[in-house]
Amino acid sequence: MRRVDKLGRIVIPMELRKKYGLTEGARIEFLDVGEGITVRPSEPVCRICRARIAEDAALPLCENCIAEVLKSQRD
Ligand SMILES: [Zn+2]
């Protein structure tokens, strides 16, 4: 359990910051989902390795994972 401080701040648990690549300065967004609030990275991340990718990326994958997928299809 976490408590909200008087300025409305909370600390995101370390394991979740690591999992979602939330280093200092990372952008997050809050979504009101009716029964609560979802907090998520606002920058697009690779669906496989969660590395950050460009806002205008054609695929939801980083260059490394695209290369891996293409390589695995050749074999
Ligand atoms: Zn990736």
Side-chain angles (χ1 to χ4, degrees):
M1 186 202 65
R2 304 282 164 150
R3 290 185 186 273
V4 177
D5 75 10
K6 63 185 172 186
L7 296 177
R9 297 176 296 196
I10 54 171
V11 173
I12 300 170
M14 175 68 83
E15 60 272 20
L16 292 176
R17 280 182 277 152
K18 281 185 180 172
K19 181 176 180 180
Y20 293 100
L22 299 174
T23 54
E24 184 177 351
R27 296 176 189 202
I28 58 169
E29 60 187 342
F30 295 91
L31 300 174
D32 181 346
V33 294
E35 295 179 355
I37 302 164
T38 294
V39 180
R40 69 179 188 188
S42 67
E43 294 168 89
V45 295
C46 174
R47 295 260 173 94
I48 295 173
C49 73
R50 299 214 152 268
R52 289 196 192 143
I53 58 176
E55 298 276 349
D56 59 351
L59 296 171
L61 299 172
C62 72
E63 290 179 15
N64 290 339
C65 290
I66 290 172
E68 285 296 317
V69 168
L70 292 175
K71 187 177 156 194
S72 71
Q73 289 184 337
R74 274 187 229 120
D75 298 339

